[in-house]
Amino acid sequence: MARRSTPAFNIPNLLTYGRILAVPAIVLCFFLEGRLQSSDFARWSALALFIAASITDYLDGYLARIWEQTSNIGKMLDPIADKLLVSTCLLLLAADTDRTIAGWTLWAAIIILCREILVSGLREYLAALKVSVPVTQLAKWKTTIQMVAIGFLLAGPAGDKVLPYTTQLGIALLWISAIVTLYTGYDYFRAGLKHIVEE
């Protein structure tokens, strides 16, 4: 049975809008003193918002499915909200005064960002050809690892005071996510390339 479209202001879509609004709110946490300052309060506040936003990422899709409230705007904004959240947090962590993401770890962030841009471009091109590339289970695991890594890194030095090696654990998970990202990105590209060549 086909799922019916619903108005733009159903609960799943409102959760997606909330996730988008959480992006500038997270950035604002690091600018409470009028300049970029990664204090403990800033980090815990940003982490709380990030966790709430991450929960909505699961809830909006789950509720849309069980309530049959999928909509075109929801399908469009959901992946955009995810990419905005991840990209903004990675850039923020690379720019913060504690240099949470720095040195060689910047490459992990660059790999993740480049993959998101490339896959988005590929999906947009294939959508014009009426071709859908399904999300693999490994890609879902990649997203989970990525979100957990960013959570640890947002806590950063503030988290180290509570749980030793919080930052190091976040960096390790970010590299794992980057490696899986390379594989899933290649997987998507290979699947898409078949349609591009045929076209």
Side-chain angles (χ1 to χ4, degrees):
M1 182 179 69
R3 292 171 182 168
R4 62 184 183 275
S5 291
T6 54
F9 292 101
N10 58 39
I11 291 176
N13 285 344
L14 288 173
L15 290 173
T16 301
Y17 304 151
R19 189 155 74 258
I20 293 174
L21 291 174
V23 173
I26 289 171
V27 175
L28 186 62
C29 289
F30 281 76
F31 282 88
L32 289 177
E33 298 178 14
R35 59 189 176 88
L36 183 61
Q37 181 64 43
S38 52
S39 64
D40 286 4
F41 178 76
R43 287 185 172 278
W44 289 124
S45 300
L47 177 61
L49 287 169
F50 179 78
I51 291 172
S54 299
I55 291 172
T56 68
D57 185 23
Y58 167 76
L59 279 180
D60 59 9
Y62 175 74
L63 294 177
R65 285 191 300 272
I66 65 170
W67 290 345
E68 295 186 340
Q69 290 186 343
T70 56
S71 63
N72 289 331
I73 191 170
K75 291 175 184 177
M76 178 189 74
L77 287 181
D78 184 59
I80 291 175
D82 296 342
K83 289 170 177 54
L84 284 174
L85 183 64
V86 169
S87 301
T88 300
C89 286
L90 289 176
L91 291 172
L92 187 62
L93 290 165
D96 76 71
T97 51
D98 289 320
R99 303 280 291 166
T100 312
I101 295 178
W104 285 102
T105 309
L106 282 171
W107 283 104
I110 290 169
I111 288 169
I112 291 170
L113 290 173
C114 287
R115 185 266 188 191
E116 296 295 348
I117 294 169
L118 288 170
V119 170
S120 293
L122 178 63
R123 283 184 177 278
E124 185 176 343
Y125 175 79
L126 292 175
L129 300 179
K130 307 298 183 187
V131 174
S132 175
V133 181
V135 178
T136 64
Q137 188 61 45
L138 185 60
K140 292 178 181 178
W141 276 107
K142 181 272 304 179
T143 300
T144 301
I145 297 170
Q146 186 174 274
M147 300 303 250
V148 173
I150 291 173
F152 275 108
L153 291 172
L154 281 173
D160 289 334
K161 297 173 184 177
V162 178
L163 177 66
Y165 305 109
T166 293
T167 303
Q168 288 83 349
L169 183 56
I171 289 172
L173 288 171
L174 192 69
W175 274 110
I176 293 171
S177 173
I179 292 168
V180 178
T181 287
L182 281 174
Y183 180 81
T184 57
Y186 168 74
D187 212 27
Y188 279 125
F189 183 74
R190 184 180 58 185
L193 188 63
K194 178 179 66 175
H195 298 286
I196 293 171
V197 170
E198 288 176 357
E199 177 69 12

